[in-house]
Amino acid sequence: MKLIFIGPPGAGKGTIATPICEKLGIPHISTGDLFRKAIKNKTTLGQKVQVIIELGDLVPDALTVALVKERLQDDDTNKGYILDGFPRTIGQADSLSDFSKIDAVINFTISDEQVVERLSGRRLCTNCGTGYHTETMKPQQEGICDKCGKQLIIRPDDSPVSIKNRLEVYYDQTEPLIEYYKNKNLLKDVDGSGTVAEVIANTKAMIETI
Ligand code: AMP
């Protein structure tokens, strides 16, 4: 099954995609994760995108589409995948339709207040990428990853200024995709405002209808 997870930053796309991908036996392809890995490894791509990402702006379509197109050629994508955070513009969506036939687009809905609440408490493992939250998903030991014991950080783009910009960028460039995919009869809304367990359950139930 080929799915797109769409929604504002902090809607829980990555958190929900992980268990769903495990259940379906398909890879979780997050463009944000791919970019962060490139930055960590100081690749040419990483150097190009680092400042853009820290500010909360979008990486140019050409770079992003090329990255996804290449990733979708890997053998592990034969059974399908979840695209998390891609596409984020109409241009990316048009390009994607040239090399992938998507089964459904799951749109996670949450309020702006919740976006700010979630992103400002978010913590990320520098090593394995596992996400936590200071209120709703605390690690056993403060500041330390339960899975690998490495340090948790605040993502540079989770600063108040970048959060505000990311929300503006979302409304300006990504929200139009909701109408775009609705017109293609691919859009499925899932209420993203509940607990992680609730949203996972609602998403699984929605996927069973596809
Ligand atoms: P995310 O982890 O999905 O919140 O993405 C983190 C950042 O990576 C975004 O704020 C953008 O700067 C960049 N990014 C991720 N996906 C895309 C995309 N599809 N198009 C452009 N930039 C992206």
Side-chain angles (χ1 to χ4, degrees), residues 7-10 13-14 30-36 39 49-61 63-65 67-68 84-89 92 119 122 155 157-158 162 166 169 174:
K13 302 181 294 290
S30 151
T31 38
D33 285 349
L34 293 174
F35 287 134
R36 279 184 288 278
I39 293 170
V49 302
Q50 181 160 14
V51 174
I52 300 174
I53 290 183
E54 284 179 7
L55 292 172
D57 289 331
L58 290 187
V59 174
D61 283 355
L63 276 181
T64 311
V65 169
L67 182 75
V68 173
D84 158 13
F86 179 91
R88 259 176 158 98
T89 65
Q92 292 178 13
L119 295 186
R122 188 154 78 167
R155 269 172 48 170
D157 58 344
D158 281 343
S162 296
R166 284 161 70 200
V169 168
T174 308

Short mmCIF file of all heavy atoms in Angstrom, two decimals, residues 7-10 13-14 30-36 39 49-61 63-65 67-68 84-89 92 119 122 155 157-158 162 166 169 174, ligand 1:
data_model
loop_
_atom_site.label_atom_id
_atom_site.label_comp_id
_atom_site.label_asym_id
_atom_site.label_seq_id
_atom_site.Cartn_x
_atom_site.Cartn_y
_atom_site.Cartn_z
N GLY A 7 -0.23 16.89 6.93
CA GLY A 7 -0.76 17.58 8.11
C GLY A 7 0.25 18.61 8.55
O GLY A 7 1.41 18.56 8.12
N PRO A 8 -0.15 19.54 9.41
CA PRO A 8 0.79 20.57 9.86
C PRO A 8 1.95 19.97 10.64
O PRO A 8 1.86 18.82 11.10
CB PRO A 8 -0.06 21.48 10.76
CG PRO A 8 -1.28 20.71 11.08
CD PRO A 8 -1.47 19.69 10.02
N PRO A 9 3.04 20.74 10.81
CA PRO A 9 4.14 20.23 11.63
C PRO A 9 3.60 19.90 13.01
O PRO A 9 2.75 20.62 13.53
CB PRO A 9 5.13 21.40 11.68
CG PRO A 9 4.36 22.60 11.24
CD PRO A 9 3.26 22.12 10.36
N GLY A 10 4.04 18.80 13.60
CA GLY A 10 3.59 18.45 14.94
C GLY A 10 2.27 17.70 14.96
O GLY A 10 1.76 17.36 16.03
N LYS A 13 2.61 12.93 12.33
CA LYS A 13 2.80 12.08 11.16
C LYS A 13 3.88 11.00 11.39
O LYS A 13 3.65 9.83 11.13
CB LYS A 13 3.18 12.92 9.93
CG LYS A 13 2.16 13.99 9.58
CD LYS A 13 2.57 14.79 8.34
CE LYS A 13 3.80 15.65 8.48
NZ LYS A 13 3.66 16.83 9.34
N GLY A 14 5.03 11.44 11.87
CA GLY A 14 6.14 10.50 12.07
C GLY A 14 5.84 9.49 13.17
O GLY A 14 6.10 8.29 13.03
N SER A 30 10.53 9.51 5.46
CA SER A 30 10.31 10.88 5.92
C SER A 30 11.38 11.76 5.28
O SER A 30 12.58 11.55 5.51
CB SER A 30 10.43 10.92 7.45
OG SER A 30 10.87 12.18 7.88
N THR A 31 10.94 12.73 4.47
CA THR A 31 11.94 13.62 3.85
C THR A 31 12.69 14.41 4.92
O THR A 31 13.89 14.63 4.81
CB THR A 31 11.28 14.57 2.82
OG1 THR A 31 10.01 14.98 3.32
CG2 THR A 31 11.11 13.90 1.49
N GLY A 32 12.00 14.79 6.00
CA GLY A 32 12.67 15.51 7.10
C GLY A 32 13.79 14.65 7.68
O GLY A 32 14.91 15.13 7.90
N ASP A 33 13.53 13.35 7.91
CA ASP A 33 14.56 12.45 8.44
C ASP A 33 15.72 12.31 7.44
O ASP A 33 16.89 12.29 7.84
CB ASP A 33 13.99 11.04 8.70
CG ASP A 33 13.13 10.98 9.96
OD1 ASP A 33 13.14 11.96 10.74
OD2 ASP A 33 12.44 9.96 10.16
N LEU A 34 15.39 12.20 6.16
CA LEU A 34 16.46 12.05 5.15
C LEU A 34 17.34 13.30 5.12
O LEU A 34 18.57 13.20 5.07
CB LEU A 34 15.86 11.80 3.75
CG LEU A 34 15.12 10.47 3.57
CD1 LEU A 34 14.43 10.41 2.20
CD2 LEU A 34 16.07 9.28 3.71
N PHE A 35 16.70 14.47 5.24
CA PHE A 35 17.49 15.71 5.25
C PHE A 35 18.34 15.80 6.53
O PHE A 35 19.50 16.19 6.48
CB PHE A 35 16.58 16.95 5.16
CG PHE A 35 15.98 17.18 3.80
CD1 PHE A 35 14.64 17.48 3.66
CD2 PHE A 35 16.76 17.10 2.66
CE1 PHE A 35 14.08 17.71 2.40
CE2 PHE A 35 16.21 17.32 1.39
CZ PHE A 35 14.86 17.62 1.27
N ARG A 36 17.73 15.43 7.68
CA ARG A 36 18.50 15.52 8.94
C ARG A 36 19.71 14.58 8.91
O ARG A 36 20.77 14.91 9.41
CB ARG A 36 17.60 15.22 10.15
CG ARG A 36 16.76 16.43 10.58
CD ARG A 36 15.95 16.16 11.83
NE ARG A 36 14.85 15.27 11.59
CZ ARG A 36 13.67 15.63 11.08
NH1 ARG A 36 13.44 16.87 10.77
NH2 ARG A 36 12.72 14.75 10.88
N ILE A 39 22.37 16.18 6.90
CA ILE A 39 23.02 17.27 7.66
C ILE A 39 24.01 16.66 8.66
O ILE A 39 25.16 17.10 8.78
CB ILE A 39 21.97 18.13 8.39
CG1 ILE A 39 21.13 18.91 7.37
CG2 ILE A 39 22.63 19.09 9.38
CD1 ILE A 39 19.91 19.62 7.96
N VAL A 49 21.07 22.19 2.58
CA VAL A 49 19.74 22.35 3.16
C VAL A 49 19.73 22.80 4.63
O VAL A 49 18.68 23.17 5.14
CB VAL A 49 18.89 21.05 3.01
CG1 VAL A 49 18.77 20.67 1.55
CG2 VAL A 49 19.43 19.90 3.84
N GLN A 50 20.88 22.76 5.29
CA GLN A 50 20.91 22.98 6.74
C GLN A 50 20.24 24.30 7.17
O GLN A 50 19.36 24.30 8.04
CB GLN A 50 22.35 22.95 7.24
CG GLN A 50 22.43 23.15 8.76
CD GLN A 50 23.73 22.66 9.35
OE1 GLN A 50 24.69 22.41 8.63
NE2 GLN A 50 23.77 22.55 10.66
N VAL A 51 20.63 25.40 6.56
CA VAL A 51 20.11 26.70 6.99
C VAL A 51 18.61 26.80 6.67
O VAL A 51 17.81 27.26 7.49
CB VAL A 51 20.90 27.85 6.33
CG1 VAL A 51 20.26 29.19 6.67
CG2 VAL A 51 22.34 27.83 6.80
N ILE A 52 18.23 26.29 5.51
CA ILE A 52 16.81 26.34 5.09
C ILE A 52 15.97 25.65 6.15
O ILE A 52 14.93 26.15 6.60
CB ILE A 52 16.63 25.61 3.74
CG1 ILE A 52 17.45 26.25 2.64
CG2 ILE A 52 15.15 25.52 3.36
CD1 ILE A 52 17.44 25.50 1.31
N ILE A 53 16.42 24.48 6.58
CA ILE A 53 15.64 23.68 7.54
C ILE A 53 15.60 24.35 8.91
O ILE A 53 14.56 24.40 9.56
CB ILE A 53 16.20 22.24 7.60
CG1 ILE A 53 15.87 21.56 6.27
CG2 ILE A 53 15.65 21.48 8.80
CD1 ILE A 53 16.28 20.14 6.16
N GLU A 54 16.74 24.89 9.35
CA GLU A 54 16.76 25.54 10.67
C GLU A 54 15.79 26.72 10.71
O GLU A 54 15.18 27.00 11.74
CB GLU A 54 18.18 25.95 11.05
CG GLU A 54 18.97 24.72 11.48
CD GLU A 54 20.41 24.99 11.85
OE1 GLU A 54 20.80 26.16 11.91
OE2 GLU A 54 21.15 24.01 12.06
N LEU A 55 15.63 27.40 9.58
CA LEU A 55 14.71 28.55 9.55
C LEU A 55 13.26 28.11 9.45
O LEU A 55 12.34 28.90 9.67
CB LEU A 55 15.04 29.45 8.35
CG LEU A 55 16.38 30.20 8.42
CD1 LEU A 55 16.66 30.89 7.09
CD2 LEU A 55 16.34 31.22 9.55
N GLY A 56 13.06 26.85 9.06
CA GLY A 56 11.68 26.36 8.89
C GLY A 56 11.13 26.62 7.51
O GLY A 56 9.93 26.52 7.28
N ASP A 57 12.01 26.95 6.56
CA ASP A 57 11.57 27.13 5.16
C ASP A 57 11.57 25.78 4.45
O ASP A 57 12.05 24.78 4.99
CB ASP A 57 12.51 28.10 4.44
CG ASP A 57 12.32 29.53 4.94
OD1 ASP A 57 11.20 29.86 5.37
OD2 ASP A 57 13.30 30.30 4.93
N LEU A 58 11.08 25.78 3.20
CA LEU A 58 11.06 24.53 2.45
C LEU A 58 12.29 24.41 1.57
O LEU A 58 12.72 25.38 0.94
CB LEU A 58 9.80 24.44 1.56
CG LEU A 58 8.46 24.26 2.28
CD1 LEU A 58 7.36 24.03 1.25
CD2 LEU A 58 8.49 23.11 3.28
N VAL A 59 12.82 23.20 1.50
CA VAL A 59 13.90 22.88 0.57
C VAL A 59 13.31 22.96 -0.84
O VAL A 59 12.15 22.56 -1.05
CB VAL A 59 14.43 21.46 0.89
CG1 VAL A 59 15.46 21.02 -0.13
CG2 VAL A 59 14.97 21.39 2.32
N PRO A 60 14.08 23.47 -1.83
CA PRO A 60 13.52 23.59 -3.18
C PRO A 60 12.98 22.25 -3.72
O PRO A 60 13.53 21.18 -3.41
CB PRO A 60 14.72 24.07 -4.02
CG PRO A 60 15.61 24.75 -3.04
CD PRO A 60 15.43 24.03 -1.73
N ASP A 61 11.91 22.35 -4.50
CA ASP A 61 11.24 21.15 -5.01
C ASP A 61 12.20 20.22 -5.74
O ASP A 61 12.15 19.00 -5.56
CB ASP A 61 10.11 21.55 -5.98
CG ASP A 61 8.87 22.04 -5.24
OD1 ASP A 61 8.87 22.00 -4.00
OD2 ASP A 61 7.92 22.46 -5.92
N LEU A 63 15.37 19.54 -5.50
CA LEU A 63 16.23 18.74 -4.62
C LEU A 63 15.41 17.67 -3.90
O LEU A 63 15.81 16.52 -3.78
CB LEU A 63 16.84 19.64 -3.53
CG LEU A 63 18.09 20.43 -3.85
CD1 LEU A 63 18.51 21.22 -2.63
CD2 LEU A 63 19.21 19.47 -4.25
N THR A 64 14.22 18.08 -3.42
CA THR A 64 13.38 17.18 -2.62
C THR A 64 12.83 16.05 -3.49
O THR A 64 12.86 14.87 -3.08
CB THR A 64 12.23 17.99 -1.97
OG1 THR A 64 12.79 19.13 -1.36
CG2 THR A 64 11.50 17.17 -0.96
N VAL A 65 12.36 16.39 -4.66
CA VAL A 65 11.78 15.37 -5.55
C VAL A 65 12.87 14.36 -5.95
O VAL A 65 12.64 13.15 -5.94
CB VAL A 65 11.15 16.03 -6.80
CG1 VAL A 65 10.79 15.00 -7.84
CG2 VAL A 65 9.91 16.83 -6.41
N LEU A 67 15.47 13.48 -4.32
CA LEU A 67 15.78 12.63 -3.16
C LEU A 67 14.75 11.52 -3.01
O LEU A 67 15.09 10.34 -2.81
CB LEU A 67 15.77 13.52 -1.91
CG LEU A 67 16.12 12.88 -0.58
CD1 LEU A 67 17.62 12.64 -0.50
CD2 LEU A 67 15.70 13.79 0.59
N VAL A 68 13.48 11.88 -3.14
CA VAL A 68 12.40 10.88 -2.96
C VAL A 68 12.40 9.89 -4.13
O VAL A 68 12.27 8.68 -3.92
CB VAL A 68 11.03 11.59 -2.84
CG1 VAL A 68 9.89 10.59 -2.82
CG2 VAL A 68 10.99 12.46 -1.58
N ASP A 84 6.08 10.51 4.53
CA ASP A 84 5.78 11.39 5.67
C ASP A 84 6.46 12.73 5.42
O ASP A 84 7.69 12.80 5.38
CB ASP A 84 6.29 10.69 6.94
CG ASP A 84 6.54 11.62 8.11
OD1 ASP A 84 6.12 12.78 8.08
OD2 ASP A 84 7.18 11.15 9.08
N GLY A 85 5.66 13.77 5.20
CA GLY A 85 6.24 15.11 4.97
C GLY A 85 6.56 15.36 3.51
O GLY A 85 7.22 16.34 3.19
N PHE A 86 6.13 14.49 2.65
CA PHE A 86 6.29 14.67 1.19
C PHE A 86 5.05 14.11 0.51
O PHE A 86 4.63 13.02 0.87
CB PHE A 86 7.54 13.94 0.68
CG PHE A 86 7.71 14.10 -0.82
CD1 PHE A 86 8.45 15.14 -1.34
CD2 PHE A 86 7.10 13.20 -1.71
CE1 PHE A 86 8.59 15.29 -2.72
CE2 PHE A 86 7.23 13.36 -3.07
CZ PHE A 86 7.98 14.40 -3.58
N PRO A 87 4.45 14.82 -0.44
CA PRO A 87 4.80 16.14 -0.94
C PRO A 87 4.35 17.25 0.01
O PRO A 87 3.46 17.06 0.82
CB PRO A 87 4.04 16.22 -2.26
CG PRO A 87 2.86 15.32 -2.08
CD PRO A 87 3.31 14.22 -1.18
N ARG A 88 4.97 18.40 -0.13
CA ARG A 88 4.61 19.58 0.67
C ARG A 88 4.22 20.76 -0.21
O ARG A 88 3.90 21.82 0.32
CB ARG A 88 5.81 20.00 1.53
CG ARG A 88 5.73 19.54 3.00
CD ARG A 88 7.03 19.96 3.64
NE ARG A 88 7.04 20.11 5.05
CZ ARG A 88 7.46 19.18 5.91
NH1 ARG A 88 7.82 18.01 5.49
NH2 ARG A 88 7.50 19.45 7.20
N THR A 89 4.29 20.60 -1.52
CA THR A 89 3.86 21.66 -2.44
C THR A 89 3.12 20.99 -3.60
O THR A 89 3.29 19.79 -3.83
CB THR A 89 5.07 22.42 -3.05
OG1 THR A 89 5.81 21.51 -3.87
CG2 THR A 89 5.99 23.01 -2.01
N GLN A 92 5.57 19.43 -6.00
CA GLN A 92 6.07 18.11 -5.59
C GLN A 92 5.03 17.03 -5.86
O GLN A 92 5.34 15.93 -6.29
CB GLN A 92 6.43 18.11 -4.10
CG GLN A 92 7.64 18.96 -3.76
CD GLN A 92 7.95 19.00 -2.27
OE1 GLN A 92 7.42 18.21 -1.48
NE2 GLN A 92 8.82 19.90 -1.87
N LEU A 119 5.15 21.00 19.45
CA LEU A 119 6.51 21.22 18.94
C LEU A 119 7.42 21.81 19.99
O LEU A 119 8.60 21.49 20.04
CB LEU A 119 6.49 22.13 17.71
CG LEU A 119 5.80 21.56 16.47
CD1 LEU A 119 5.97 22.50 15.29
CD2 LEU A 119 6.33 20.19 16.09
N ARG A 122 8.78 19.05 22.18
CA ARG A 122 9.34 17.89 21.48
C ARG A 122 10.83 17.73 21.74
O ARG A 122 11.57 18.70 21.80
CB ARG A 122 9.08 18.08 19.99
CG ARG A 122 9.42 16.89 19.15
CD ARG A 122 8.62 16.90 17.91
NE ARG A 122 9.14 17.82 16.92
CZ ARG A 122 8.74 17.81 15.65
NH1 ARG A 122 7.83 16.95 15.25
NH2 ARG A 122 9.23 18.65 14.78
N ARG A 155 15.06 20.03 18.49
CA ARG A 155 15.39 20.26 17.09
C ARG A 155 15.58 21.76 16.85
O ARG A 155 14.79 22.56 17.35
CB ARG A 155 14.26 19.76 16.19
CG ARG A 155 14.44 18.33 15.76
CD ARG A 155 13.25 17.79 15.03
NE ARG A 155 12.71 18.63 13.97
CZ ARG A 155 11.78 18.22 13.11
NH1 ARG A 155 11.29 16.99 13.19
NH2 ARG A 155 11.31 19.02 12.18
N ASP A 157 14.84 23.53 14.48
CA ASP A 157 13.66 24.17 13.87
C ASP A 157 12.43 24.10 14.77
O ASP A 157 11.34 24.45 14.36
CB ASP A 157 13.37 23.61 12.47
CG ASP A 157 13.14 22.11 12.45
OD1 ASP A 157 13.51 21.44 13.45
OD2 ASP A 157 12.59 21.61 11.46
N ASP A 158 12.60 23.66 16.01
CA ASP A 158 11.50 23.73 16.99
C ASP A 158 11.62 24.96 17.88
O ASP A 158 11.00 25.04 18.95
CB ASP A 158 11.45 22.45 17.85
CG ASP A 158 10.80 21.27 17.12
OD1 ASP A 158 10.11 21.50 16.10
OD2 ASP A 158 10.98 20.12 17.56
N SER A 162 11.03 29.57 14.47
CA SER A 162 10.91 28.61 13.36
C SER A 162 9.54 27.93 13.36
O SER A 162 8.99 27.66 12.30
CB SER A 162 12.00 27.54 13.43
OG SER A 162 13.25 28.14 13.28
N ARG A 166 7.17 27.80 10.25
CA ARG A 166 6.76 26.51 9.66
C ARG A 166 5.25 26.45 9.50
O ARG A 166 4.75 25.88 8.53
CB ARG A 166 7.28 25.35 10.52
CG ARG A 166 8.77 25.12 10.31
CD ARG A 166 9.39 24.35 11.42
NE ARG A 166 8.98 22.97 11.43
CZ ARG A 166 9.06 22.19 12.50
NH1 ARG A 166 9.53 22.66 13.63
NH2 ARG A 166 8.70 20.94 12.44
N VAL A 169 4.38 28.61 6.52
CA VAL A 169 4.76 27.89 5.30
C VAL A 169 3.75 26.77 5.02
O VAL A 169 3.33 26.55 3.89
CB VAL A 169 6.20 27.31 5.44
CG1 VAL A 169 6.51 26.33 4.33
CG2 VAL A 169 7.22 28.44 5.45
N THR A 174 1.50 24.05 1.75
CA THR A 174 1.13 22.63 1.86
C THR A 174 -0.37 22.42 1.98
O THR A 174 -0.91 21.48 1.40
CB THR A 174 1.86 22.00 3.09
OG1 THR A 174 3.25 22.28 2.98
CG2 THR A 174 1.65 20.50 3.15
P1 AMP B 1 9.77 17.45 9.06
O1 AMP B 1 10.67 16.54 9.80
O2 AMP B 1 8.84 16.72 8.13
O3 AMP B 1 9.06 18.44 9.95
O4 AMP B 1 10.71 18.33 8.09
C1 AMP B 1 11.70 19.19 8.63
C2 AMP B 1 12.10 20.21 7.59
O5 AMP B 1 12.67 19.56 6.45
C3 AMP B 1 10.97 21.05 7.01
O6 AMP B 1 10.61 22.14 7.86
C4 AMP B 1 11.60 21.52 5.70
O7 AMP B 1 12.56 22.52 5.93
C5 AMP B 1 12.34 20.26 5.26
N1 AMP B 1 11.47 19.38 4.46
C6 AMP B 1 10.98 18.16 4.80
N2 AMP B 1 10.20 17.66 3.84
C7 AMP B 1 10.19 18.58 2.86
C8 AMP B 1 9.54 18.67 1.60
N3 AMP B 1 8.73 17.70 1.17
N4 AMP B 1 9.76 19.78 0.86
C9 AMP B 1 10.57 20.77 1.25
N5 AMP B 1 11.19 20.77 2.45
C10 AMP B 1 11.01 19.69 3.24
#
